[in-house]
Amino acid sequence: MKRSILLGAILWLLFITASHIQLNVGWNKVQDSVAQAFGEDRDKMIVGFLPVT
């Protein structure tokens, strides 16, 4: 009984997490973040310019 509740809770958590990524974040963005975390890909630095008068 306890094992089935634990398994159901884990499956529910995985389902909700996958749904959130699919609908709100996007898998491509997650793949880019994972690649950056493991050092496979470097993040591009964006430098802004504000003119001073």
Side-chain angles (χ1 to χ4, degrees):
M1 180 77 172
K2 288 183 182 180
R3 194 175 291 170
S4 64
I5 292 173
L6 181 63
L7 181 63
I10 290 171
L11 289 174
W12 179 255
L13 182 67
L14 290 174
F15 172 73
I16 293 297
T17 301
S19 297
H20 170 71
I21 291 172
Q22 176 68 30
L23 295 172
N24 296 324
V25 178
W27 292 107
N28 291 334
K29 184 137 180 145
V30 172
Q31 287 175 347
D32 292 342
S33 297
V34 170
Q36 288 174 6
F38 288 110
E40 297 173 10
D41 189 19
R42 296 189 69 162
D43 195 15
K44 294 180 182 130
M45 186 179 244
I46 298 172
V47 178
F49 175 75
L50 297 173
V52 177
T53 58

Coordinates of all heavy atoms in Angstrom, one line a residue:
M1 N 0.8 -1.2 0.0 CA 0.0 0.0 0.0 C 0.9 1.3 0.0 O 0.7 2.1 -0.8 CB -0.9 0.0 1.2 CG -1.8 1.2 1.3 SD -3.2 1.0 0.2 CE -4.2 2.3 0.6
K2 N 1.8 1.3 0.9 CA 2.7 2.5 1.0 C 3.5 2.6 -0.3 O 3.8 3.7 -0.8 CB 3.6 2.4 2.2 CG 2.9 2.7 3.5 CD 3.9 2.6 4.6 CE 3.3 2.8 6.0 NZ 4.2 2.8 7.1
R3 N 4.0 1.5 -0.8 CA 4.8 1.5 -2.0 C 4.0 2.0 -3.2 O 4.5 2.8 -4.0 CB 5.3 0.1 -2.3 CG 6.4 0.1 -3.3 CD 7.0 -1.3 -3.5 NE 7.7 -1.7 -2.2 CZ 8.1 -2.9 -2.0 NH1 7.9 -3.9 -2.9 NH2 8.7 -3.2 -0.9
S4 N 2.7 1.7 -3.3 CA 1.9 2.2 -4.5 C 1.6 3.6 -4.3 O 1.6 4.4 -5.3 CB 0.6 1.4 -4.6 OG -0.2 1.6 -3.4
I5 N 1.5 4.1 -3.1 CA 1.2 5.6 -2.9 C 2.5 6.3 -3.3 O 2.5 7.4 -4.0 CB 0.8 5.9 -1.5 CG1 -0.6 5.3 -1.2 CG2 0.8 7.4 -1.2 CD1 -1.1 5.4 0.2
L6 N 3.6 5.8 -2.9 CA 4.9 6.5 -3.2 C 5.2 6.5 -4.7 O 5.6 7.5 -5.3 CB 6.1 5.8 -2.5 CG 7.5 6.4 -2.7 CD1 7.5 7.8 -2.2 CD2 8.5 5.5 -2.0
L7 N 4.9 5.4 -5.3 CA 5.1 5.3 -6.8 C 4.1 6.2 -7.5 O 4.5 6.9 -8.5 CB 4.9 3.8 -7.3 CG 5.0 3.6 -8.7 CD1 6.5 3.9 -9.2 CD2 4.7 2.2 -9.1
G8 N 2.9 6.3 -7.1 CA 1.9 7.2 -7.7 C 2.4 8.7 -7.5 O 2.2 9.5 -8.4
A9 N 2.9 9.0 -6.3 CA 3.3 10.4 -6.1 C 4.5 10.7 -7.0 O 4.6 11.8 -7.5 CB 3.7 10.6 -4.6
I10 N 5.4 9.8 -7.1 CA 6.6 10.0 -8.0 C 6.2 10.2 -9.5 O 6.6 11.1 -10.1 CB 7.6 8.9 -7.8 CG1 8.3 9.0 -6.4 CG2 8.7 9.0 -8.9 CD1 9.2 7.8 -6.1
L11 N 5.3 9.3 -9.9 CA 4.8 9.5 -11.3 C 4.0 10.8 -11.5 O 4.2 11.4 -12.6 CB 3.9 8.3 -11.6 CG 4.6 6.9 -11.8 CD1 3.6 5.8 -12.0 CD2 5.6 7.0 -12.9
W12 N 3.2 11.2 -10.5 CA 2.5 12.4 -10.6 C 3.5 13.6 -10.7 O 3.3 14.5 -11.5 CB 1.5 12.6 -9.4 CG 0.8 13.9 -9.5 CD1 1.0 14.9 -8.7 CD2 -0.3 14.2 -10.3 NE1 0.1 15.9 -9.0 CE2 -0.7 15.5 -10.0 CE3 -0.9 13.5 -11.4 CZ2 -1.7 16.1 -10.7 CZ3 -2.0 14.2 -12.0 CH2 -2.3 15.5 -11.7
L13 N 4.5 13.6 -9.9 CA 5.5 14.7 -9.9 C 6.2 14.7 -11.2 O 6.4 15.8 -11.8 CB 6.5 14.4 -8.8 CG 7.6 15.5 -8.6 CD1 7.0 16.8 -8.2 CD2 8.6 15.1 -7.6
L14 N 6.6 13.6 -11.8 CA 7.2 13.6 -13.1 C 6.3 14.1 -14.2 O 6.7 14.8 -15.1 CB 7.7 12.2 -13.4 CG 8.9 11.7 -12.6 CD1 9.2 10.2 -12.9 CD2 10.1 12.5 -12.8
F15 N 5.0 13.7 -14.1 CA 4.0 14.2 -15.1 C 3.9 15.7 -15.0 O 3.9 16.4 -16.1 CB 2.7 13.5 -14.9 CG 1.6 14.0 -15.7 CD1 1.5 13.8 -17.1 CD2 0.6 14.8 -15.1 CE1 0.5 14.3 -17.9 CE2 -0.4 15.3 -15.9 CZ -0.5 15.1 -17.3
I16 N 3.7 16.2 -13.8 CA 3.5 17.7 -13.7 C 4.8 18.4 -14.1 O 4.7 19.5 -14.8 CB 3.2 18.0 -12.2 CG1 1.8 17.4 -11.8 CG2 3.3 19.5 -11.9 CD1 0.7 18.0 -12.6
T17 N 6.0 17.9 -13.8 CA 7.2 18.6 -14.2 C 7.3 18.6 -15.7 O 7.7 19.6 -16.3 CB 8.4 17.8 -13.6 OG1 8.3 17.9 -12.2 CG2 9.7 18.5 -14.0
A18 N 7.1 17.4 -16.4 CA 7.2 17.4 -17.8 C 6.1 18.3 -18.5 O 6.4 18.9 -19.5 CB 7.0 15.9 -18.3
S19 N 4.9 18.3 -18.0 CA 3.9 19.2 -18.5 C 4.3 20.7 -18.4 O 4.1 21.4 -19.3 CB 2.6 19.0 -17.8 OG 2.1 17.7 -18.0
H20 N 4.9 21.0 -17.3 CA 5.3 22.4 -17.1 C 6.4 22.8 -18.1 O 6.4 23.9 -18.7 CB 5.8 22.6 -15.6 CG 6.5 23.9 -15.4 ND1 5.8 25.1 -15.4 CD2 7.8 24.2 -15.3 CE1 6.7 26.1 -15.2 NE2 7.9 25.6 -15.1
I21 N 7.4 21.9 -18.2 CA 8.5 22.2 -19.2 C 7.9 22.3 -20.6 O 8.3 23.2 -21.3 CB 9.5 21.1 -19.1 CG1 10.3 21.2 -17.8 CG2 10.5 21.2 -20.2 CD1 11.2 20.0 -17.5
Q22 N 7.0 21.4 -21.0 CA 6.5 21.4 -22.3 C 5.7 22.7 -22.6 O 5.8 23.3 -23.6 CB 5.6 20.2 -22.5 CG 4.8 20.2 -23.9 CD 5.8 20.0 -25.0 OE1 6.8 19.4 -24.9 NE2 5.4 20.5 -26.2
L23 N 4.8 23.1 -21.6 CA 3.9 24.2 -21.9 C 4.5 25.6 -21.6 O 4.2 26.6 -22.3 CB 2.7 24.1 -21.0 CG 1.8 22.8 -21.3 CD1 0.7 22.7 -20.3 CD2 1.2 22.9 -22.7
N24 N 5.4 25.7 -20.6 CA 5.9 27.0 -20.2 C 7.4 27.3 -20.6 O 7.7 28.5 -20.9 CB 5.8 27.1 -18.7 CG 4.3 27.1 -18.3 OD1 3.5 27.6 -19.0 ND2 4.1 26.5 -17.2
V25 N 8.2 26.3 -20.6 CA 9.6 26.6 -20.8 C 10.1 26.2 -22.2 O 10.7 27.0 -22.9 CB 10.5 25.8 -19.8 CG1 12.0 26.1 -20.0 CG2 10.1 26.3 -18.4
G26 N 9.8 25.0 -22.6 CA 10.3 24.5 -23.9 C 11.5 23.6 -23.7 O 12.4 23.9 -23.0
W27 N 11.5 22.5 -24.5 CA 12.5 21.5 -24.3 C 13.9 22.0 -24.8 O 14.9 21.6 -24.3 CB 12.2 20.2 -25.0 CG 11.0 19.5 -24.3 CD1 9.7 19.4 -24.7 CD2 11.1 18.8 -23.0 NE1 9.0 18.7 -23.8 CE2 9.8 18.3 -22.8 CE3 12.1 18.6 -22.1 CZ2 9.5 17.6 -21.6 CZ3 11.8 17.9 -21.0 CH2 10.5 17.4 -20.7
N28 N 13.9 22.8 -25.8 CA 15.1 23.4 -26.4 C 15.9 24.2 -25.4 O 17.1 24.1 -25.2 CB 14.9 24.2 -27.6 CG 14.4 23.3 -28.8 OD1 14.7 22.1 -28.8 ND2 13.7 23.9 -29.7
K29 N 15.1 25.0 -24.6 CA 15.7 25.9 -23.6 C 16.3 25.0 -22.5 O 17.4 25.3 -21.9 CB 14.7 26.9 -23.1 CG 15.3 27.8 -22.1 CD 14.7 29.2 -22.3 CE 15.3 30.1 -21.3 NZ 15.6 31.4 -21.8
V30 N 15.6 23.9 -22.1 CA 16.1 23.0 -21.1 C 17.4 22.3 -21.5 O 18.4 22.2 -20.8 CB 15.0 22.0 -20.7 CG1 15.6 21.0 -19.7 CG2 13.8 22.7 -20.0
Q31 N 17.4 21.9 -22.8 CA 18.6 21.2 -23.3 C 19.8 22.2 -23.3 O 20.9 21.8 -23.0 CB 18.3 20.7 -24.7 CG 17.4 19.5 -24.8 CD 17.1 19.1 -26.2 OE1 17.3 19.8 -27.1 NE2 16.5 17.9 -26.3
D32 N 19.6 23.5 -23.7 CA 20.6 24.5 -23.7 C 21.2 24.7 -22.3 O 22.4 24.8 -22.1 CB 20.2 25.8 -24.3 CG 19.9 25.7 -25.8 OD1 20.3 24.7 -26.4 OD2 19.2 26.6 -26.3
S33 N 20.3 24.7 -21.3 CA 20.7 25.0 -19.9 C 21.5 23.8 -19.4 O 22.5 24.0 -18.7 CB 19.4 25.2 -19.0 OG 18.8 26.3 -19.4
V34 N 21.1 22.6 -19.7 CA 21.8 21.4 -19.3 C 23.2 21.4 -19.9 O 24.2 21.1 -19.3 CB 21.0 20.1 -19.6 CG1 21.9 18.9 -19.4 CG2 19.8 20.0 -18.8
A35 N 23.3 21.7 -21.2 CA 24.6 21.7 -21.9 C 25.5 22.8 -21.3 O 26.7 22.5 -21.1 CB 24.4 22.0 -23.4
Q36 N 25.0 23.9 -20.9 CA 25.8 24.9 -20.2 C 26.2 24.5 -18.8 O 27.4 24.7 -18.4 CB 25.0 26.2 -20.1 CG 24.8 27.0 -21.4 CD 23.9 28.2 -21.2 OE1 23.5 28.5 -20.1 NE2 23.6 28.8 -22.4
A37 N 25.4 23.8 -18.1 CA 25.7 23.3 -16.8 C 26.8 22.3 -16.8 O 27.7 22.3 -15.9 CB 24.5 22.7 -16.1
F38 N 26.9 21.5 -17.8 CA 27.9 20.5 -17.9 C 29.1 20.9 -18.7 O 30.0 20.1 -19.0 CB 27.4 19.2 -18.5 CG 26.5 18.4 -17.5 CD1 25.1 18.4 -17.8 CD2 27.0 17.8 -16.4 CE1 24.3 17.7 -16.9 CE2 26.2 17.1 -15.5 CZ 24.8 17.1 -15.7
G39 N 29.2 22.2 -19.1 CA 30.3 22.7 -19.8 C 30.4 22.4 -21.3 O 31.5 22.6 -21.9
E40 N 29.4 21.8 -21.9 CA 29.5 21.4 -23.3 C 29.3 22.7 -24.2 O 29.8 22.7 -25.3 CB 28.4 20.4 -23.6 CG 28.6 19.1 -22.9 CD 27.4 18.1 -23.1 OE1 26.5 18.4 -23.9 OE2 27.3 17.1 -22.4
D41 N 28.5 23.6 -23.7 CA 28.2 24.8 -24.6 C 28.4 26.0 -23.7 O 28.0 26.0 -22.5 CB 26.8 24.7 -25.1 CG 26.5 25.8 -26.1 OD1 27.4 26.3 -26.7 OD2 25.3 26.0 -26.3
R42 N 29.0 27.1 -24.3 CA 29.2 28.3 -23.5 C 28.0 29.3 -23.8 O 27.6 29.4 -24.9 CB 30.5 28.9 -23.9 CG 31.6 28.0 -23.4 CD 32.9 28.7 -23.6 NE 33.0 29.8 -22.6 CZ 34.1 30.3 -22.2 NH1 35.2 30.0 -22.7 NH2 34.0 31.3 -21.3
D43 N 27.7 30.0 -22.8 CA 26.6 31.0 -23.0 C 27.2 32.2 -23.7 O 28.3 32.6 -23.5 CB 26.1 31.4 -21.6 CG 24.8 32.2 -21.7 OD1 24.1 32.1 -22.8 OD2 24.4 32.8 -20.7
K44 N 26.4 32.8 -24.6 CA 26.8 34.0 -25.3 C 26.6 35.2 -24.5 O 25.5 35.4 -23.9 CB 26.0 34.1 -26.6 CG 26.3 33.0 -27.6 CD 25.5 33.2 -28.9 CE 25.8 32.0 -29.8 NZ 24.6 31.3 -30.3
M45 N 27.6 36.0 -24.4 CA 27.5 37.2 -23.6 C 26.9 38.4 -24.4 O 27.4 38.6 -25.5 CB 28.9 37.6 -23.1 CG 28.9 38.7 -22.1 SD 30.5 39.1 -21.5 CE 30.3 38.7 -19.8
I46 N 25.9 39.0 -23.9 CA 25.3 40.1 -24.7 C 25.7 41.4 -23.9 O 25.4 41.5 -22.7 CB 23.8 40.0 -24.7 CG1 23.4 38.7 -25.4 CG2 23.1 41.2 -25.3 CD1 21.9 38.3 -25.4
V47 N 26.3 42.3 -24.6 CA 26.8 43.5 -24.0 C 25.9 44.7 -24.6 O 25.7 44.8 -25.8 CB 28.3 43.8 -24.4 CG1 28.8 45.1 -23.8 CG2 29.2 42.6 -24.0
G48 N 25.4 45.4 -23.6 CA 24.5 46.5 -24.0 C 25.3 47.8 -24.1 O 26.4 47.9 -23.6
F49 N 24.7 48.8 -24.7 CA 25.4 50.1 -24.8 C 24.4 51.2 -24.5 O 23.3 51.3 -25.0 CB 25.9 50.3 -26.3 CG 26.5 51.7 -26.5 CD1 27.7 52.0 -26.0 CD2 25.8 52.6 -27.2 CE1 28.3 53.2 -26.2 CE2 26.3 53.9 -27.4 CZ 27.6 54.2 -26.9
L50 N 24.7 52.0 -23.5 CA 23.9 53.1 -23.1 C 24.7 54.4 -23.3 O 25.7 54.6 -22.7 CB 23.5 53.0 -21.6 CG 22.7 51.8 -21.2 CD1 22.5 51.8 -19.7 CD2 21.3 51.9 -21.9
P51 N 24.3 55.2 -24.3 CA 25.1 56.4 -24.5 C 25.0 57.4 -23.4 O 23.9 57.6 -22.8 CB 24.4 57.0 -25.8 CG 23.1 56.4 -25.8 CD 23.2 55.1 -25.1
V52 N 26.0 58.0 -23.0 CA 26.1 59.0 -22.0 C 26.2 60.4 -22.6 O 27.1 60.7 -23.4 CB 27.2 58.8 -21.0 CG1 27.3 59.8 -19.9 CG2 27.1 57.4 -20.4
T53 N 25.3 61.3 -22.3 CA 25.3 62.7 -22.8 C 25.6 63.7 -21.8 O 25.3 63.5 -20.6 CB 24.0 63.0 -23.6 OG1 22.9 62.8 -22.7 CG2 23.9 62.1 -24.8

